[in-house]
């Protein structure tokens, strides 16, 4: 009974994150009169011309209602190979739900691919945040909902159902990397890597690179861990990743060979980095400008905590500098052509060159959780709010900053700030040294840092290697 209750408690946070993110997305579609809650169709451009027809053909294959098979599709033109299309566009596991619906409602399961990917990504991010630094489930769920509904999802991901698997793949890869840090569950981690890469190798490669950077930072900050043990963790991560990718190789090699054999796409040209203020404006809520830039917004709760993070004296300076340095480095890599090529598999994409922006959104959510788990004081929160206000003032007049931005920053920002200040409770003690994991994570036996507990819950001093508070 105790084990069952503990399992339910552990599942409550991820379930809450999934429910919040999916519910908010459905509410937004209803407000905007969008399918399936309104009259405005989602099936436009590539979504309507490619991905819905692909799902309809998958329905035909499932029901034996076509003359083709997985290898060849006779329903397109005079017949075209289909296996590579299936492995590239239909390997999101939620795509296979199409067989449960009538064929004429193929738009509905395609919508569910997006919706369920948002929910799964949010739930898995809740788990990952808890592994980076344990804490109450409900604030992790709130921040994870911001990840599931980040600007990249709303402006880039929802039109490409296969990319939405990357939203779930990134925290899966982060969990696998955390197991490497703890030197456990090599087989399970390998299977997570394989699932991430098989579902969509394009976004999985981006997520792998991002989580490799996070793992490297955590090891770098874990100064008390012997160098030999850190090297072992890196070797474990390398072997886990290589084996997972090899398990997914049957799906990957077909796509790679088909890509080489296909007609070359028009040559893409990078138009140069966006103006700095237009780039920074993407951290704010509200409008959408015509200036191409990475879409980053993660919600006002996350933005306020990220802004407060550098002012938190309870967080070791090297931890603050490390995470901010990583985020800044990733942000700069999005606007430098050589690293843009690195993020996109050495091929400059046609269309937006900022398809990896969800990785930076994930880093910002992680930083927000680290800030919240250390328990920001009211004056530190006020400093963060001042930084957000300064950012909004500097970005005034930018195309993506409109009336809605000011309403959301002033309105929701004030509510979030007030809630954090009200919920703050004075800390009653400090945990033993060595509780905080690398980069602020409270991993047993991993890393060193402040034992400062969160200001949202009472802290009890317990002389053990576990954190002094539990979710």
């Amino acid at each position: 009974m105790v084990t069952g209750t503990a399992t339910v408690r552990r599942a409550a946070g991820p379930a809450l994150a999934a429910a919040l993110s999916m519910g908010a997305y459905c509410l937004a579609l209803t407000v905007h009169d969008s399918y399936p809650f309104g009259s405005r169709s989602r099936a436009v451009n590539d979504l309507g011309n490619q991905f819905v027809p692909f799902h309809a053909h998958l329905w035909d294959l499932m029901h034996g209602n076509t003359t083709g098979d997985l290898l060849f599709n006779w329903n397109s033109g005079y017949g075209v190979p289909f296996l590579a299309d299936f492995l590239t566009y239909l390997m999101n596991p939620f795509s296979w739900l199409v067989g449960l619906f009538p064929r004429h409602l193929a738009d509905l399961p395609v919508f569910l691919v997006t919706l369920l990917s948002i929910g799964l990504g949010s739930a898995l991010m809740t788990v990952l945040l808890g592994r980076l630094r344990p804490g109450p489930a409900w604030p992790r769920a709130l921040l994870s909902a911001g990840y599931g509904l980040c600007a990249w999802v709303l402006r880039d991901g929802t039109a490409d159902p296969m990319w939405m698997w990357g939203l779930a793949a990134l925290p899966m890869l982060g969990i696998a990397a955390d197991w490497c840090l703890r030197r456990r569950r090599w087989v399970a981690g390998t299977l997570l890597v394989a699932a991430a890469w098989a579902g969509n190798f394009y976004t999985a490669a981006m997520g792998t690179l991002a989580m490799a950077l996070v793992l490297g930072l955590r090891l770098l900050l874990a100064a008390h861990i012997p160098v030999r043990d850190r090297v072992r963790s890196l070797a474990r991560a390398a072997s886990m990743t290589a084996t997972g990718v090899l398990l997914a190789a049957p799906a990957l090699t077909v796509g790679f060979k088909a890509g080489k054999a296909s007609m070359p796409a028009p040559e893409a040209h990078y138009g140069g980095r966006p103006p700095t203020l237009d780039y920074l404006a993407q951290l704010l809520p509200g409008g959408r400008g015509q200036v191409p830039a990475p879409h980053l917004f993660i919600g006002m709760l996350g933005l306020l905590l990220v802004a407060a993070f550098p002012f938190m004296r309870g967080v070791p300076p090297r931890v603050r500098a490390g995470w901010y340095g990583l985020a800044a480095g990733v942000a700069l890599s999005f606007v430098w052509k050589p690293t843009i090529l690195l993020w996109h598999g050495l091929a400059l994409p046609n269309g937006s060159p900022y398809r990896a922006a969800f990785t930076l959104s994930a880093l910002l959510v992680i930083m927000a959780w680290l800030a919240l788990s250390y328990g920001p004081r009211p004056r530190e929160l006020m400093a963060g709010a001042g930084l957000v206000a300064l950012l909004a003032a500097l970005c005034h007049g930018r195309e993506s900053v409109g009336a809605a931005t000011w309403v959301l920053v002033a309105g929701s920002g004030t509510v979030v700030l007030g809630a954090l200040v009200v919920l703050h409770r004075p800390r009653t003690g400090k945990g033993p040294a060595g509780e905080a994991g690398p980069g602020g994570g409270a991993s047993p036996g991993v890393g060193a840092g402040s034992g400062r507990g969160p200001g949202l819950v009472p802290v009890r001093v317990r002389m053990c290697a576990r954190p002094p508070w539990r979710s």
Side-chain angles (χ1 to χ4, degrees):
M1 178 64 69
V2 175
T3 302
T5 302
T7 301
V8 171
R9 289 183 60 191
R10 284 195 298 267
L16 176 61
L20 287 174
S21 55
M22 292 191 297
Y25 183 63
C26 291
L27 179 61
L29 292 180
T30 302
V31 171
H32 289 277
D33 192 35
S34 184
Y35 180 89
F37 306 104
S39 58
R40 295 175 58 186
S41 175
R42 296 175 64 250
V44 296
N45 298 327
D46 288 348
L47 183 62
N49 296 325
Q50 293 187 59
F51 307 138
V52 171
F54 279 145
H55 283 78
H57 185 64
L58 179 61
W59 188 97
D60 291 335
L61 291 174
M62 289 179 169
H63 292 267
N65 192 32
T66 181
T67 54
D69 52 27
L70 274 178
L71 297 179
F72 209 82
N73 175 13
W74 289 103
N75 294 333
S76 296
Y78 293 103
V80 295
F82 183 67
L83 183 59
D85 289 335
F86 172 78
L87 295 174
T88 302
Y89 299 110
L90 297 172
M91 281 294 285
N92 185 326
F94 296 126
S95 291
W96 306 338
L97 294 175
V98 68
L100 302 178
F101 296 82
R103 191 182 190 280
H104 70 278
L105 294 179
D107 283 2
L108 182 58
V110 175
F111 159 75
L112 291 179
V113 173
T114 297
L115 182 66
L116 295 176
S117 296
I118 289 174
L120 180 60
S122 301
L124 290 172
M125 179 56 75
T126 306
V127 176
L128 175 59
L129 295 181
R131 301 196 69 83
L132 291 170
R133 185 170 170 87
W138 65 268
R140 284 189 282 124
L142 290 176
L143 289 170
S144 298
Y147 167 73
L149 294 173
C150 65
W152 176 88
V153 169
L154 302 178
R155 298 175 182 176
D156 296 315
T158 54
D160 297 87
M162 66 284 182
W163 289 357
M164 291 299 296
W165 184 245
L167 195 71
L170 185 143
M172 287 167 58
L173 294 163
I175 293 169
D178 184 75
W179 287 338
C180 291
L181 197 63
R182 301 165 189 255
R183 297 194 296 277
R184 58 185 298 192
R185 296 184 179 176
W186 187 90
V187 173
T190 299
L191 294 177
L192 285 183
V193 174
W197 278 76
N200 185 254
F201 64 86
Y202 191 54
T203 51
M206 300 172 185
T208 300
L209 178 56
M211 291 300 100
L213 293 173
V214 170
L215 176 61
L217 176 62
R218 295 182 71 190
L219 289 172
L220 183 64
L221 294 175
H224 76 293
I225 298 181
V227 174
R228 181 177 60 182
D229 290 340
R230 284 187 263 182
V231 172
R232 286 178 177 175
S233 293
L234 285 176
R236 191 178 184 88
S239 64
M240 180 185 289
T241 302
T243 306
V245 173
L246 286 174
L247 288 175
L252 304 180
T253 52
V254 173
F256 290 157
K257 288 187 175 182
K260 289 183 177 180
S262 63
M263 180 180 296
E267 185 178 359
H269 297 278
Y270 180 52
R273 67 177 184 86
T276 301
L277 290 180
D278 284 288
Y279 195 169
L280 292 175
Q282 298 303 315
L283 294 168
L284 298 170
R288 177 178 181 178
Q290 297 300 315
V291 177
H295 300 134
L296 305 174
F297 181 63
I298 58 169
M300 282 304 302
L301 174 61
L303 178 60
L304 179 60
L305 289 169
V306 169
F309 193 51
F311 303 105
M312 295 181 59
R313 292 181 296 173
V315 183
R318 63 190 181 90
V319 172
R320 286 177 279 165
W323 282 100
Y324 254 92
L326 177 60
V330 171
L332 291 175
S333 73
F334 287 164
V335 293
W336 187 40
K337 187 174 180 180
T339 44
I340 292 175
L341 292 172
L342 180 62
W343 282 108
H344 296 87
L346 304 181
L348 194 64
N350 283 285
S352 172
Y354 307 120
R355 297 173 180 178
F358 73 98
T359 61
L360 182 52
S361 296
L363 290 179
L364 294 175
V365 169
I366 290 172
M367 291 171 61
W369 168 240
L370 292 178
L372 185 59
S373 69
Y374 272 100
R377 296 183 175 93
R379 64 173 177 269
E380 296 166 346
L381 292 169
M382 294 298 295
L387 190 58
V388 172
L390 176 62
L391 174 63
L394 290 175
C395 294
H396 174 69
R398 297 290 153 176
E399 193 174 9
S400 61
V401 177
T405 302
W406 295 103
V407 171
L408 291 171
V409 169
S412 61
T414 301
V415 171
V416 169
L417 176 62
L420 289 174
V421 171
V422 169
L423 290 174
H424 174 81
R425 297 179 184 179
R427 285 164 290 280
T428 60
K430 290 188 177 182
E435 285 178 347
S443 305
V446 181
S450 169
R452 174 176 167 181
L456 298 180
V457 294
V459 176
R460 295 179 298 174
V461 176
R462 293 171 54 187
M463 297 304 295
C464 62
R466 299 297 295 173
W469 54 299
R470 301 175 300 178
S471 57

